[in-house]
Structure formats: C-alpha cells, structure tokens
Amino acid sequence: GQNIDQPTEMTATEGAIVQINCTYQTSGFNGLFWYQQHAGEAPTFLSYNVLDGLEEKGRFSSFLSRSKGYSYLLLKELQMKDSASYLCAVRDLSGNDYKLSFGAGTTVTVRA
Amino acid sequence: DTAVSQTPKYLVTQMGNDKSIKCEQNLGHDTMYWYKQDSKKFLKIMFSYNNKELIINETVPNRFSPKSPDKAHLNLHINSLELGDSAVYFCASSQEAGANVLTFGAGSRLTVL
C-alpha cells in the first residue's frame, strides 16, 4: 500500500507562483504523476517523473526526490483557468502489474 | 470524437436496485480501468483490464462486477446498491498495462437514495 499526502487547499494571485508538495510512502515505487481536475470534470494528465530531478513543461514543472519520498508541482504565471484540483499519484507494483494510486488532491484557487 | 466515453453521466436510483455503467474508448488502448471518487475526492482504483483480461481487482464488494466484451469496452454492473455506493465513477484507459498515462472519461455520478 501507500500513503500519499498533499495539502488540501492553496490560494494564490494571478501571475504568481504556487508550489504544491506531495509526500508518499510506498514499497514498489515506479513513478509519480500529477493530474489536474477542474470541478465536475475528468482528471487530465500534467506530468510524470520516474527519476530524480525537475521536469519542465511550459508553465508547469514537477520535481521528484525518490530518497525523500517527495515531489512538488510548480505552477508559474498563474492564470484564472489554473483554478482546479491537482492530484498527486504514485505508480507502484500491485501483484503482477502496476497500479496508479491518487492522493486526495490540492484545490488551488487563483484570485485576480 | 470523444476518446473515453461513459454512460450514463448521471444516475439516481433506490437502494437495492441493480445498475450498469458503460464505458468505451476509441484510442486503441489495451488497458481500461474503473476508478471511484468519493465525496472526499479520493480517486481509488477498483478494477483494471488488459486486452479483456482482469489484471487488477482491488478490495471491492462482490456486488461490483466488471465486464469487458472487447478491449475497447469495460462495463461496470452493480447489484443491490447501497447508500455508500454514491460516488462519481470514472472509466479510464492507457496504451498498455502498467498504469502509464491515463485518459479518463467524464465520469458517471451515481446517487443512491
């Protein structure tokens, strides 16, 4: 099994930067994913880290430290449309296959 | 045009009834999943099928029975519905087994009265 912890809520101003932290404990770690979910909609894939370090994708970056069981998602130049829930997900071994397990999500509210 | 489509989008029913949710993907993916998102927003895996074969079956009551007639379809049948089954059920698919990048459907909100 795994424990995935992330803050429940964060608020930031348009144009600012927000960092969402995620810590996890798992026995068969094989990758960390970030998904974005707008209210009432499906989660959509944002980023994926399997090795330590920073992955940059436009305004969004994700960092992973496997030894610390820690990741963060960095959102730069915040826009109103970035108001959503951000889900940290860990892929680990389940029986003979891998499964993706999600944290409860961090609701980010962007204010004008 | 929709990549992963599930029906119905909303389902309101009485306790004790049996209901089904259907899911279809046109992405040519090999693997499909059912996830349950409860009121606290936890997204929890229920089942995973790869090429019609069950590969992940989490601790889910026997009242839940998935069926995959082909690799593009994964349906979920629920018997004897209970209040605690109220949730949003998401279907998803990935190109191959191994829980790589998932493409989710829009969700089916089930309310049990």
Side-chain angles (χ1 to χ4, degrees), chain B residues 3-58:
Chain B
V4 180
S5 58
Q6 46 183 117
T7 55
K9 191 168 173 63
Y10 298 98
L11 188 53
V12 181
T13 189
Q14 300 286 332
M15 258 192 333
N17 284 349
D18 303 338
K19 290 294 176 187
S20 293
I21 308 172
K22 296 185 175 182
C23 180
E24 175 182 4
Q25 54 96 3
N26 62 6
L27 297 166
H29 286 172
D30 285 345
T31 310
M32 295 184 73
Y33 310 81
W34 277 110
Y35 276 83
K36 177 182 179 181
Q37 189 169 43
D38 61 24
S39 56
K40 294 184 179 177
K41 304 302 181 188
F42 267 107
L43 200 57
K44 191 168 169 52
I45 190 166
M46 301 172 70
F47 303 103
S48 169
Y49 273 73
N50 184 56
N51 273 319
K52 302 192 298 175
E53 182 185 337
L54 180 67
I55 53 173
I56 290 178
N57 184 352
E58 288 295 283

Side-chain angles (χ1 to χ4, degrees), chain A residues 4 33 35 37 40-45 48 87 91 94 97-104, chain B residues 9 35 37 40-43 45 48 55-56 58 90 97-102 104-106:
Chain A
I4 302 171
F33 294 73
Y35 280 76
Q37 186 177 22
E41 296 183 13
T44 54
F45 169 75
Y48 165 57
L87 309 175
R91 181 171 69 188
S94 172
D97 198 11
Y98 291 100
K99 70 173 182 182
L100 201 59
S101 299
F102 287 82
Chain B
K9 191 168 173 63
Y35 276 83
Q37 189 169 43
K40 294 184 179 177
K41 304 302 181 188
F42 267 107
L43 200 57
I45 190 166
S48 169
I55 53 173
I56 290 178
E58 288 295 283
F90 285 98
N100 289 320
V101 176
L102 303 185
F104 283 87

Side-chain angles (χ1 to χ4, degrees), chain A residues 11-50:
Chain A
T11 303
T13 308
E14 204 174 8
I17 297 174
V18 71
Q19 177 174 315
I20 306 169
N21 296 324
C22 172
T23 58
Y24 62 89
Q25 292 176 308
T26 184
S27 50
F29 177 83
N30 194 261
L32 190 132
F33 294 73
W34 285 95
Y35 280 76
Q36 179 191 60
Q37 186 177 22
H38 284 100
E41 296 183 13
T44 54
F45 169 75
L46 282 180
S47 70
Y48 165 57
N49 297 69
V50 67

Side-chain angles (χ1 to χ4, degrees), chain B residues 54-110:
Chain B
L54 180 67
I55 53 173
I56 290 178
N57 184 352
E58 288 295 283
T59 310
V60 177
N62 291 338
R63 300 181 294 103
F64 290 79
S65 52
K67 280 192 173 53
S68 182
D70 55 62
K71 75 173 192 178
H73 295 84
L74 180 61
N75 304 323
L76 183 66
H77 188 75
I78 315 170
N79 287 330
S80 303
L81 279 157
E82 300 177 357
L83 293 177
D85 298 332
S86 295
V88 181
Y89 292 85
F90 285 98
C91 177
S93 70
S94 63
Q95 191 157 5
E96 55 196 17
N100 289 320
V101 176
L102 303 185
T103 301
F104 283 87
S108 297
R109 181 176 291 277
L110 171 65

